[in-house]
Amino acid sequence: MNIDLKEMTQLAPIFRELFKGYHLSRSEPECYAQLSTMQDQYRALFKGLGFELVCDPRGFYYFVPEQMGAQVNKTAQRLALFTFILVEHLADQGRDPLSVLDGGSIGRDELPALLEKYRDLFMQAEVTTHEELEEKVIRRLTQLGFAEDSNGVYRFLPPMHRFLDVCLAVQHDRDLAASLHSTDLELRAPVLMDDDSGDAIIPIDEPEAVDAPAESEEDALARAMAEERAAQEEDA
């Protein structure tokens, strides 16, 4: 394949954003347009540089880290847990979680009640105050391209499908487990590029034996997030 760098006028900003873990979607119109029209060239170029560019047909691009193994960063855990919480919260309110998380929005004024309602779960993610929720979760969602902040209204972008896929898979597995009276779940979840937050990388334990105590929701989530890499390679 011939790669003409002169035609890649957005190469610098595209690489800069992808390299720091950002998910490029239509919210970045110039970068997204060029990635869409020169997808094969960019993928080939980045592959030669040692980066895997994922082109999700639902309208976003991101880098997959090559050496994550069975590890997952705290940011990914928090974002996934927040998505689980938000799906349940919206459903309890009679709102369609998919319509909200697929291009919809929530207001900053909804966060205090959300934190109070699910305080025990948030504590597992080391989020105990409204300020920590905004700093450790909401800010990272916007920094990584999952959402954008418009004067206190958080609009969700197409990359949120990475976490929505996890929620749907977990719900399906829970329903199946309930019908079989089993707690064994096979989960898949995103692995994000390492971030610059300073959070330590947490090793994930091997799956427990069948007769072991049931996993906590946090442990199951963390374990699941290490599996997407293998799943993507199988589906490639």
Side-chain angles (χ1 to χ4, degrees):
M1 175 182 295
N2 293 325
I3 299 176
D4 188 348
L5 294 180
K6 292 181 180 179
E7 295 182 356
M8 295 180 165
T9 57
Q10 298 297 315
L11 175 58
I14 286 174
F15 181 77
R16 180 177 62 248
E17 295 303 309
L18 293 174
F19 182 74
K20 69 181 183 182
Y22 191 80
H23 291 59
L24 283 169
S25 63
R26 290 183 176 86
S27 63
E28 305 291 337
E30 292 184 0
C31 291
Y32 180 81
Q34 188 161 107
L35 275 172
S36 298
T37 57
M38 303 181 67
Q39 177 175 295
D40 292 339
Q41 293 92 322
Y42 270 102
R43 185 153 48 187
L45 174 62
F46 290 143
K47 183 177 181 180
L49 296 173
F51 297 92
E52 179 184 352
L53 175 65
V54 175
C55 310
D56 194 289
R58 291 167 295 190
F60 56 95
Y61 299 84
Y62 61 95
F63 276 163
V64 172
E66 291 192 1
Q67 300 296 328
M68 286 298 290
Q71 294 180 331
V72 62
N73 56 44
K74 281 187 178 181
T75 293
Q77 288 179 311
R78 290 187 182 115
L79 300 189
L81 180 61
F82 177 74
T83 306
F84 274 96
I85 290 173
L86 197 55
V87 166
E88 183 173 326
H89 173 69
L90 293 170
D92 286 347
Q93 290 187 328
R95 298 158 68 184
D96 181 7
L98 291 180
S99 65
V100 173
L101 293 173
D102 186 12
S105 62
I106 63 170
R108 178 180 282 118
D109 58 348
E110 296 184 59
L111 297 181
L114 190 67
L115 177 63
E116 184 62 30
K117 182 178 179 181
Y118 297 96
R119 183 169 296 277
D120 290 344
L121 287 177
F122 276 118
M123 287 180 64
Q124 296 178 29
E126 300 177 3
V127 174
T128 59
T129 66
H130 180 256
E131 291 74 18
E132 287 181 338
L133 177 56
E134 292 228 29
E135 179 69 16
K136 295 181 178 181
V137 177
I138 302 300
R139 186 174 70 89
R140 295 303 289 160
L141 281 173
T142 59
Q143 286 180 333
L144 294 173
F146 292 102
E148 60 182 10
D149 183 356
S150 178
N151 298 319
V153 175
Y154 303 112
R155 186 172 72 87
F156 298 104
L157 302 174
M160 278 299 292
H161 277 283
R162 293 193 71 192
F163 291 120
L164 280 172
D165 289 346
V166 180
C167 293
L168 294 174
V170 168
Q171 186 59 53
H172 174 270
D173 286 347
R174 281 178 173 172
D175 293 343
L176 180 61
S179 67
L180 298 176
H181 305 287
S182 170
T183 58
D184 297 324
L185 302 179
E186 291 294 333
L187 308 176
R188 298 179 179 181
V191 174
L192 303 183
M193 290 283 286
D194 191 16
D195 58 79
D196 58 359
S197 65
D199 290 334
I201 300 298
I202 305 174
I204 305 302
D205 294 331
E206 291 295 323
E208 297 177 353
V210 174
D211 57 352
E215 284 183 312
S216 68
E217 184 168 348
E218 183 188 19
D219 289 340
L221 177 61
R223 174 172 62 81
M225 295 178 72
E227 297 180 1
E228 187 191 17
R229 174 65 175 169
Q232 289 175 338
E233 292 178 350
E234 291 177 359
D235 296 336

